[in-house]
């Protein structure tokens, strides 16, 4: 009982003292150097925010040659709430694939009913052929459509319409077509790059005998923004922090020079920044560089590799491995599991950081079960938490700097209208949703950069699963039957 009376910070201090006596000097040096290399203090965050804003302008000016593609999405209107009817959404973008149907009831009925199914993407499909991947998607969609019950209603004579959320960089050619620029997040499917992904899906649906129409092709950020705007008129930016990362926002047409002469210069368009490709001024360590070099897309998606869920655990594993190889930690030799890339995942990091037990039992269990490090001392467990914290703190703070970079660019171009009123940044993705420390670090960075007064107007809000409904809403807005409502 007495221990319960000791404040948490005193316990932490006691733990730290014991750490020093049990871990080797070499281990401490590695952790110290890593923490310093990862540090993202305000001046670094400022440079990142300014760099993102500057690259946004370059990417809006012309295609190619800059880190941010700034992809026009051909989404000019966000949902108004008037959308009605039955729509499907199909979501491909990370470790899971989702299908969803929603019955929309206009201003009064809103979302009358919704159903969804989620399946893990089999690993082999991530490295297979385009046909195999799209056939898998179309067959799952077909099975899901067959289960449509009487709660959902499609007027006779109409085709079922789909909003296709495809969360990879795509050069959109219209609201319902777009060419894959490259795969990210560990996908390396052959035969899709340079092809229209809607045609790939249509062909697969034909092969399955499925008669449906893709009426909107959207990135997950765009789906999230549409989903958030359905409920909140102030939603202007959407950010995904999941397996991968990205952001989109509402841009004025007259601020997109590369579209001038092609489209009317009035109104707005959602721009998909593909910010995961940003790479300047980032605090990178030898471990990040080695991770990038060993990846299937070296030199690409550097911000993504620094802040998104797919990579956080792998950075930590690389630090642990160096400690094992270079010193006393883990008994001087690396267990096999510790040498296995991507064996340590972001949920492990999160669980370790949340371990409140005095002997860090859960940390010990994860080190043993996942990395093959048995009988870790308390000092080693404490160091493991330090490493996780350094990685997660850098990730959250850089994500915060990215949000500020976008808002500052929007604010500068709209004579202060962003910061003077309530502006909502809709967030989604497993990393954001499930990692409280990460969320805290985002917030701290935003407040640090904008100051406490301005940041009161910036509402960073979780828009749970908004992307699926958002894609269905955009399918409704672009329905070929839209005028018949
Ligand atoms: C993709 C983006 C996507 C993001 C989040 C990135 O790897 O390039 O298109 O929005 O992941 O899913």
């Amino acid at each position: 009982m007495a221990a319960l009376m000791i404040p948490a910070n005193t316990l932490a201090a006691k733990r730290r003292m014991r750490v020093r006596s049990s871990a080797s000097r070499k281990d401490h040096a590695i952790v110290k150097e890593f923490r310093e290399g990862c540090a993202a203090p305000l001046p670094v965050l400022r440079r990142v925010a300014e760099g993102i804003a500057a690259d946004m302008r370059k990417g809006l000016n012309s295609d190619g040659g800059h880190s941010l593609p700034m992809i026009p999405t051909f989404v000019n209107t966000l949902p108004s709430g008037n959308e009605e009817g039955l729509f499907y959404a199909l979501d491909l973008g990370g470790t899971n694939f989702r299908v969803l149907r929603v019955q929309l009831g206009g201003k009064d009925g809103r979302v009358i009913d919704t159903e969804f199914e989620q399946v893990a993407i089999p690993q082999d499909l991530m490295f297979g052929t385009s046909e195999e991947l799209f056939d898998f998607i179309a067959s799952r969609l077909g099975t899901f459509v067959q289960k449509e019950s009487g709660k959902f209603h499609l007027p006779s004579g109409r085709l079922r319409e789909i909003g296709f959320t495809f969360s990879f960089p795509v050069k959109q050619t219209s609201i319902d077509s777009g060419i894959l620029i490259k795969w990210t997040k560990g996908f390396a499917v052959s035969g899709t790059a340079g092809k229209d992904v809607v045609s790939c899906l249509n062909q697969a649906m034909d092969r399955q005998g499925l008669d449906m129409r893709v009426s909107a092709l959207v990135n997950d950020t765009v789906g999230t923004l549409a989903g958030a705007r359905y409920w909140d008129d102030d939603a202007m930016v959407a950010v995904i922090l999941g397996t991968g990362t990205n952001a989109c926002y509402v841009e004025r047409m007259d601020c997109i020079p590369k579209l001038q002469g092609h489209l009317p210069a009035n109104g707005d368009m959602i721009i998909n920044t593909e910010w995961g490709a940003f790479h300047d001024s980032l605090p990178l360590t030898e471990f990040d560089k080695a991770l990038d070099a060993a990846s299937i897309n070296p030199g690409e998606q550097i911000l993504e590799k620094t802040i998104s869920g797919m990579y956080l655990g792998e950075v930590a594993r690389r630090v642990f491995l160096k400690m094992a190889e270079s010193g006393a930690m883990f008994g001087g030799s690396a267990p096999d599991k510790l040498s296995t890339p991507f064996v340590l995942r972001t949920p492990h990091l999160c669980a370790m950081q949340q371990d409140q037990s005095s002997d860090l039992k859960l940390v010990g269990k994860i080190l043993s079960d996942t990395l093959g490090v048995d009988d870790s001392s308390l000092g080693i467990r404490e160091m493991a938490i330090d490493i996780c914290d350094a990685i997660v703190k850098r990730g959250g703070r850089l994500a915060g700097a990215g949000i500020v970079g976008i808002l500052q660019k929007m604010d500068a171009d709209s004579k202060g209208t962003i910061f003077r009123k309530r502006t909502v940044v809709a967030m989604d993705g497993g990393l954001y949703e499930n990692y409280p420390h990460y969320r805290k670090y985002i917030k701290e960075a935003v407040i640090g950069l904008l100051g406490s007064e301005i940041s009161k107007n910036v509402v960073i809000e979780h828009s749970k699963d908004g992307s699926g409904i958002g894609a269905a809403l955009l399918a409704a807005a672009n329905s070929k039957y839209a005028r018949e409502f």
Side-chain angles (χ1 to χ4, degrees):
M1 279 306 279
L4 289 177
M5 307 300 288
I6 301 172
N9 56 359
T10 316
L11 274 178
K14 281 195 167 176
R15 282 210 300 244
R16 270 170 205 284
M17 280 163 56
R18 274 192 279 164
V19 170
R20 291 207 179 91
S21 63
S22 61
S24 84
R25 215 182 276 155
K26 240 189 213 164
D27 295 332
H28 277 292
I30 293 173
V31 177
K32 182 167 177 285
E33 194 184 328
F34 179 66
R35 284 203 81 109
E36 287 167 0
C38 273
L42 278 180
V44 170
L45 296 187
R46 259 186 217 111
R47 274 202 297 282
V48 170
E50 282 160 16
I52 286 187
D55 275 14
M56 286 170 72
R57 290 183 195 287
K58 289 185 201 153
L60 290 171
N61 217 33
S62 62
D63 279 337
H66 350 281
S67 71
L68 299 190
M70 303 298 284
I71 300 171
T73 61
F74 295 83
V75 174
N76 298 101
T77 44
L78 283 167
S80 59
N82 293 322
E83 295 76 10
E84 265 183 86
L86 167 63
F87 292 91
Y88 276 76
L90 200 156
D91 189 339
L92 175 72
T95 38
N96 292 314
F97 160 71
R98 293 205 325 154
V99 278
L100 170 148
R101 70 183 136 245
V102 55
Q103 187 77 43
L104 300 168
K107 268 267 179 308
D108 299 330
R110 289 281 166 153
V111 175
I112 297 175
D113 225 319
T114 173
E115 279 177 353
F116 77 93
E117 272 177 16
Q118 176 163 309
V119 272
I121 302 271
Q123 275 281 321
D124 52 327
L125 286 184
M126 293 170 66
F127 304 100
T129 65
S130 190
E131 281 79 16
E132 286 164 349
L133 179 65
F134 281 94
D135 279 347
F136 169 79
I137 295 171
S139 82
R140 290 300 175 141
L141 177 62
T143 316
F144 183 65
V145 171
Q146 274 169 14
K147 293 188 213 153
E148 186 183 292
S149 68
K151 291 190 291 185
F152 296 90
H153 174 67
L154 185 77
S156 66
R158 288 192 182 184
L159 281 181
R160 287 180 179 77
E161 293 182 294
I162 318 170
F164 181 19
T165 305
F166 184 78
S167 306
F168 300 92
V170 162
K171 183 167 171 43
Q172 292 224 207
T173 38
S174 68
I175 181 68
D176 58 2
S177 62
I179 290 166
L180 177 69
I181 301 172
K182 61 180 182 185
W183 290 105
T184 55
K185 296 176 278 199
F187 278 69
V189 177
S190 61
T192 329
K195 286 206 182 136
D196 179 356
V197 292
V198 174
S199 301
C200 294
L201 177 60
N202 281 334
Q203 286 160 14
M205 289 196 298
D206 278 353
R207 287 194 288 271
Q208 298 289 329
L210 249 186
D211 200 9
M212 294 179 85
R213 172 180 178 263
V214 176
S215 48
L217 170 66
V218 296
N219 185 262
D220 51 357
T221 52
V222 179
T224 300
L225 185 52
R229 180 61 78 88
Y230 188 61
W231 303 107
D232 191 334
D233 287 343
D234 293 334
M236 296 296 278
V237 179
V239 174
I240 299 287
L241 286 160
T243 309
T245 184
N246 192 10
C248 75
Y249 71 105
V250 180
E251 183 56 283
R252 291 186 357 214
M253 285 299 284
D254 63 341
C255 293
I256 317 176
K258 69 182 177 185
L259 284 187
Q260 274 159 31
H262 303 282
L263 290 171
N266 51 352
D268 295 325
M269 185 180 281
I270 310 301
I271 295 289
N272 167 11
T273 65
E274 285 293 337
W275 82 4
F278 183 76
H279 50 65
D280 286 339
S281 322
L282 300 175
L284 300 178
T285 65
E286 61 178 283
F287 305 99
D288 302 294
K289 291 175 189 159
L291 178 155
D292 175 47
S295 71
I296 54 173
N297 53 353
E300 291 179 3
Q301 299 294 103
I302 304 299
L303 180 67
E304 178 159 278
K305 286 170 184 161
T306 317
I307 73 171
S308 85
M310 175 162 172
Y311 302 98
L312 302 184
E314 176 60 5
V315 178
R317 184 196 67 86
R318 285 172 178 272
V319 183
F320 295 152
L321 184 62
K322 175 161 179 180
M323 292 164 88
E325 285 171 349
S326 71
M329 189 172 186
F330 309 149
S333 71
D336 284 350
K337 282 188 185 166
L338 183 56
S339 308
T340 311
F342 291 96
V343 71
L344 192 67
R345 315 288 310 168
T346 300
H348 295 132
L349 268 51
C350 181
M352 288 199 269
Q353 279 203 274
Q354 288 182 322
D355 188 353
Q356 295 293 318
S357 63
S358 58
D359 57 349
L360 299 176
K361 194 189 251 93
L362 184 59
V363 178
K365 183 166 165 34
I366 290 172
L367 290 177
S368 160
D369 294 354
T370 313
L371 298 178
V373 177
D374 298 327
D375 303 323
S376 53
S377 70
L378 185 58
I380 283 169
R381 296 176 189 184
E382 183 78 27
M383 280 185 148
I385 293 182
D386 277 356
I387 292 165
C388 298
D389 187 59
I391 295 168
V392 168
K393 186 170 186 176
R394 175 181 66 172
R397 286 176 69 82
L398 290 174
I403 292 170
V404 169
I406 293 179
L407 293 173
Q408 282 177 333
K409 192 269 173 209
M410 294 170 81
D411 192 66
D413 289 355
S414 62
K415 301 196 176 58
T417 53
I418 290 294
F419 291 142
R420 238 184 287 129
K421 60 166 191 56
R422 179 176 180 270
T423 295
V424 171
V425 180
M427 311 287 296
D428 203 7
L431 175 58
Y432 184 80
E433 189 178 350
N434 300 318
Y435 212 139
H437 294 74
Y438 197 100
R439 288 199 297 272
K440 180 188 87 168
Y441 288 132
I442 295 180
K443 205 164 169 200
E444 277 176 13
V446 171
I447 296 175
L449 287 170
L450 292 179
S452 53
E453 272 316 297
I454 290 183
S455 53
K456 276 187 200 139
N457 284 342
V458 175
V459 181
I460 300 183
E461 224 164 53
H462 184 205
S463 167
K464 189 168 165 50
D465 296 331
S467 154
I469 298 268
L473 287 164
L474 290 171
N478 293 288
S479 163
K480 73 175 193 167
Y481 312 108
R483 280 197 212 97
E484 297 171 29
F485 288 146

